[in-house]
Amino acid sequence: MTSQPGPAHLPDVASPTPSGGSPLVRLVHAVEGWRAADALADVLARVSSPVTGSRPLRELLQGRGAGHAIHPPMTDLPVGLWTSAVVLDLLGGEGSREAARRLLGVGLLTAVPTAATGFAEWHDTTNPERRVGVAHALLNTAALALLGTSYAARTRDRHRTGVATALAGMGVATASAFLGGHLATARKVGTRDTAFDRDGVGPTLTRPVPPAPIASSRSDDPVTD
């Protein structure tokens, strides 16, 4: 299995050059240049070390044997369950409240292995992708907090609070999914079997190495006659 991008493939670019007229493009470029995320990345690396520290476990979570990363399809589980719960909230009526609560709870459970596969992919990234991954993780954490609050509210028969926090959580999760899509589609983050490298079909992403500073020919020493 190989990983794209990774430290051996893409050098660190601390401040990507903004391009494109779309506000979303400019927003993502700003996230890629978010230097404060570097300190948070160190914290996330320590938190995720039980998952990423073991190479065999990390490779399993990256999709060894599947041929490519399993994180993208894994995200369908919690997102699909939470979406179904919200649809029942909006259209199912009072009789569907218990079903919506159960769907929400199962979604929270499936989010745990999904997050583990995400950390396994993030482990092999470098900047600016690493910074986007930090923002992706922070938004996912906020979404889980809101959806967990929704589940807790429902167990206490506070249905309206549960619906409101679930809708808010899905909104945050959607923003996080946009960043995840950027990583997978625009930045080609994702492990894959080396067979896809050999046949020339697999996705590639290259970035030029930032040029070294040109030494100035001027001398700061005083000129004497």
Side-chain angles (χ1 to χ4, degrees):
M1 297 286 284
T2 61
S3 177
Q4 290 282 350
H9 304 282
L10 299 180
D12 183 6
V13 176
S15 299
T17 302
S19 62
S22 167
L24 287 176
V25 172
R26 294 195 296 271
L27 175 63
V28 174
H29 269 297
V31 174
E32 291 182 337
W34 182 28
R35 293 176 180 270
D38 295 342
L40 295 173
D42 293 337
V43 175
L44 279 180
R46 290 194 295 269
V47 170
S48 62
S49 60
V51 172
T52 61
S54 167
R55 182 172 179 177
L57 176 59
R58 185 173 69 250
E59 290 183 345
L60 176 66
L61 292 170
Q62 288 174 337
R64 175 173 289 277
H68 59 76
I70 59 174
H71 180 65
M74 284 288 292
T75 62
D76 290 346
L77 290 172
V79 172
L81 289 162
W82 294 332
T83 301
S84 299
V86 169
V87 170
L88 287 180
D89 285 338
L90 298 177
L91 303 177
E94 186 173 348
S96 64
R97 290 183 178 181
E98 179 58 21
R101 186 184 70 84
R102 293 182 180 182
L103 286 168
L104 194 66
V106 176
L108 290 169
L109 292 176
T110 61
V112 176
T114 301
T117 60
F119 276 121
E121 292 296 329
W122 178 75
H123 177 270
D124 291 332
T125 61
T126 185
N127 284 330
E129 293 79 15
R130 190 171 180 83
R131 295 182 181 124
V132 180
V134 170
H136 181 57
L138 291 176
L139 287 173
N140 279 338
T141 301
L144 285 172
L146 288 165
L147 292 162
T149 300
S150 175
Y151 182 83
R154 293 165 194 261
T155 60
R156 296 181 177 88
D157 293 326
R158 297 171 60 188
H159 180 68
R160 290 185 178 179
T161 299
V163 172
T165 50
L167 288 171
M170 285 302 295
V172 176
T174 299
S176 179
F178 172 77
L179 292 180
H182 169 75
L183 289 172
T185 304
R187 293 302 186 185
K188 309 301 182 187
V189 173
T191 52
R192 63 179 183 271
D193 194 281
T194 54
F196 297 118
D197 294 328
R198 292 194 298 269
D199 65 15
V201 178
T204 60
L205 178 65
T206 59
R207 184 165 60 228
V209 178
I214 300 175
S216 174
S217 60
R218 292 183 56 188
S219 173
D220 294 330
D221 296 333
V223 177
T224 58
D225 295 330

